[in-house]
Amino acid sequence: MFELLLVLLAIGFHLTSSSAQVKEIKLAQPSNIFILAGQSNMAGRGGVSGGVWDGNVPPECQSNLSILRLSANLTWEEAKEPLHKDIDVNKTNGVGPGMSFANSVLRRDPSLGRIGLVPCAIGGTKISQWERGTFLYNQLINRANVAVEGGGIIIAMLWYQGESDTINKKDALSYKKNLETFLTNVRADLRFPSLPIIQVALASGEGLFIDIVRQAQLGIKLPNVRCVDAKGLQLQKDDLHLTTESQVKLGQMLAGAFFEF
């Protein structure tokens, strides 16, 4: 009886140790890190209608033990949709481009190892709310710095923002200068002057000046900055947010642009 008890205890210890090892694998420091920033279409509204997310996660956006996310409390955890659930807290989040991007990147280059995603996007924000010294800017820089504390490196930032700057013509006309300043400041404050940045040209907008903002985005000539054009991707009934299928496609487009660096 005593021998049987020892065997059971040994089995229990083995199972507990194995479980702890699995958890450690999930939460280990990622090697290569991507920042996800901007407004609602980066945060993800795919599958959201009437303030409710339908819970549909396409195969391209499924979780993967090799993809982690930096949570709001600055700890690494397994990444899963919605990626911005605890970041863009005043809105309902659904599918964005992040998981599709990460899965696509790993399929194309498994040698990248464990990937870390740093969600920073907040819906409804104008470029002026991302100026150096603002809450959103400081939060991005802080989260990015925490993300590399364990030894990983930031290898790119994905940026999708501008819908809110299509309402006022003055905002639209100053968008190019403001975006260039923002991207330059981020690189300076992360001490990575050549940081690869992939920005998205708008598929939609909240105002009449979409074309002005799009021209600004397509006209950015900073080194190591690429632009993926979302125009033509399917929108939801609100004519503002990308559908789940479009978010999947956008993530794949962003991955393609990443491998062009």
Side-chain angles (χ1 to χ4, degrees):
M1 187 70 171
F2 179 70
E3 292 179 352
L4 177 60
L5 179 60
L6 288 178
V7 171
L8 292 173
L9 287 173
I11 292 174
F13 176 77
H14 175 72
L15 292 174
T16 301
S17 299
S18 298
S19 176
Q21 290 174 1
V22 170
K23 184 176 182 181
E24 183 179 351
I25 290 173
K26 288 184 181 180
L27 303 181
Q29 168 73 35
S31 304
N32 295 293
I33 297 165
F34 296 92
I35 301 169
L36 313 178
Q39 58 179 113
S40 58
N41 271 312
M42 177 58 80
R45 299 293 187 264
V48 175
S49 179
V52 178
W53 178 45
D54 62 15
N56 176 41
V57 180
E60 299 88 346
C61 302
Q62 294 293 328
S63 57
N64 180 329
L65 292 181
S66 294
I67 305 173
L68 307 182
R69 71 181 286 274
L70 190 69
S71 68
N73 63 8
L74 303 178
T75 58
W76 289 109
E77 63 183 24
E78 183 179 353
K80 60 182 64 175
E81 298 287 10
L83 280 178
H84 282 75
K85 60 185 178 182
D86 58 351
I87 302 298
D88 191 17
V89 294
N90 293 320
K91 303 289 178 62
T92 301
N93 294 277
V95 174
M99 286 300 294
S100 172
F101 167 81
N103 277 308
S104 183
V105 164
L106 280 181
R107 280 195 299 272
R108 294 181 62 165
D109 187 2
S111 70
L112 285 171
R114 191 169 292 112
I115 283 178
L117 303 177
V118 183
C120 298
I122 302 293
T125 52
K126 300 166 80 169
I127 190 69
S128 60
Q129 292 176 266
W130 292 87
E131 290 179 358
R132 178 185 262 161
T134 61
F135 172 80
L136 294 180
Y137 183 89
N138 291 343
Q139 177 175 253
L140 185 159
I141 298 300
N142 179 59
R143 286 175 58 75
N145 284 331
V146 169
V148 299
E149 286 180 353
I153 59 171
I154 297 171
I155 57 175
M157 181 174 81
L158 312 184
W159 172 258
Y160 188 174
Q161 185 278 335
E163 291 93 343
S164 293
D165 289 277
T166 66
I167 300 171
N168 183 288
K169 189 173 184 179
K170 182 179 179 181
D171 292 337
L173 290 172
S174 61
Y175 190 83
K176 187 173 186 289
K177 179 181 179 181
N178 289 337
L179 179 58
E180 289 176 337
T181 299
F182 165 73
L183 299 179
T184 301
N185 287 341
V186 167
R187 285 172 159 174
D189 291 337
L190 292 181
R191 298 174 296 281
F192 193 166
S194 61
L195 173 68
I197 296 171
I198 310 169
Q199 53 139 347
V200 181
L202 297 181
S204 60
E206 297 182 72
L208 299 174
F209 305 105
I210 301 173
D211 289 342
I212 296 176
V213 174
R214 276 182 47 80
Q215 289 171 12
Q217 294 167 330
L218 293 167
I220 296 294
K221 301 299 183 184
L222 294 175
N224 260 23
V225 175
R226 297 192 179 277
C227 185
V228 167
D229 195 347
K231 190 174 180 63
L233 292 178
Q234 185 179 6
L235 299 171
Q236 298 184 46
K237 291 180 180 179
D238 61 7
D239 287 326
L240 181 63
H241 297 112
L242 298 179
T243 63
T244 297
E245 294 76 12
S246 291
Q247 288 286 17
V248 170
K249 177 63 175 176
L250 177 61
Q252 295 168 341
M253 293 164 65
L254 289 165
F258 171 68
F259 286 104
E260 292 176 1
F261 284 106

